[in-house]
Amino acid sequence: MRAPALRLYRADWRQLENPAELVRWDALSRYAVEPNPFFESWYLLPSLRALDPGGSVAMLLLEAEGQLAGLLPVQRARDYYGHPIPHWRNWIHANAFLGTPLVAPGFERQFWQCLFHWADENAGTALFFHMAQMAEKGPLHRALVQYVDEAARPAATVLREERAALISDLSPEEYLERSLSGKKRKELRRQHRRLSEEGDLTVERKTGGDALAQWTAEFLDLERSGWKGEAQSALDCTDQTRALFRNALQGAAEHGRLERIAIRLDGKPLAMLVNFLCPPGAFSYKTAFDESFARYSPGVLLQRENLALLTRSDIAWTDSCAAADHPMIDHFWREKRNVASHNIGIGGSLRRMAFRVLARIETNTLPKGIA
């Protein structure tokens, strides 16, 4: 049987907004070898509309016999962590927490081969390709490591971090018992009891779009009322991130990817959480809580409710999307998910030699590959 004919090409992301392209994109998202909600149409398009109105971001699309087999948003960048070093990179932003491309099963190695062949031919002034926030230990990362090694491309891992994850066969009750000490569990029960004495305490869990606009507005208000609002980092602090959040949640609901959880006191939200459900994984996207009730630990009480993810047969793991060493979730979710950023040499021999020098300065070692 002959191998399918492959074609990787660059497209304006605005061309993918037509219905036919969206059908192909959504089909790839459903069957991708590794899930990444931040590159699915319902999240990436609102991100690009809000943050890239000029169209500087391009979409690299891999086709196999006319079917979409791979997708990655990329951008030619002039600046590398404050230094004027031109390079290509996958495009992510402050509210996107994974840079792994969407690739159909069986096309992992071909995707990398086509991607870097394209990068060689379109290097321009770029010294390397920066792949940020790649999930490690999965089939796409393994294929990247294998390809870089076999192609003898100079490459270096420039950042690696562990973030909290929920990966267990235990029930929520068993997980809580093993995760938290008896003293802490007793304290949580006390806080829940005291909070219940303040009024009608309820837990709300929704997976569809019911009353979504009101729920979204409540979340934005709740997040902005705390320290994020004071730091001007809350989603509601800019028109762009506010629009992104609203449109992404609406899109997630329409695609069956959304779960919302809220703890309410007399109907008022005390803690709220958004999960993106992308079987076999889930992503704990955003959370907010009323800081005036901090003595009751509403954020921790909400995470206790979030352990219900362990009961879902379609979800094997959940990515916290939290920073490494997060002061709360790292003590609650005990498993880890490794995420790494790699620089990979492109272009001809002179360009790759220059990249080796740069990589050695950055990492204090010769770029022998990635692992």
Side-chain angles (χ1 to χ4, degrees), residues 86-145:
H87 63 283
W88 280 104
R89 62 168 296 137
N90 57 338
W91 185 77
I92 55 176
H93 54 86
N95 290 295
F97 306 108
L98 193 64
T100 302
L102 296 178
V103 178
F107 290 91
E108 297 90 341
R109 191 183 187 283
Q110 293 96 320
F111 176 83
W112 297 120
Q113 184 177 18
C114 292
L115 170 66
F116 289 110
H117 177 71
W118 177 91
D120 289 340
E121 294 188 334
N122 294 272
T125 59
L127 285 180
F128 56 88
F129 198 107
H130 181 63
M131 277 298 305
Q133 296 199 43
M134 275 284 297
E136 291 192 304
K137 300 183 179 179
L140 277 168
H141 192 265
R142 289 194 297 270
L144 175 61
V145 172

Side-chain angles (χ1 to χ4, degrees), residues 147-199:
Y147 167 75
V148 167
D149 181 59
E150 292 176 354
R153 284 186 180 269
T157 299
V158 294
L159 179 66
R160 177 175 281 117
E161 62 181 13
E162 290 184 333
R163 60 195 191 199
L166 184 64
I167 310 169
S168 178
D169 293 328
L170 297 174
S171 69
E173 295 77 15
E174 292 170 329
Y175 191 92
L176 187 67
E177 183 175 352
R178 295 194 185 185
S179 179
L180 299 182
S181 67
K183 181 178 180 180
K184 182 59 179 176
R185 296 197 307 275
K186 181 178 179 181
E187 176 64 11
L188 277 179
R189 290 193 296 270
R190 185 192 69 81
Q191 289 171 321
H192 184 273
R193 184 173 63 253
R194 291 291 179 87
L195 190 55
S196 299
E197 294 169 357
E198 297 288 329

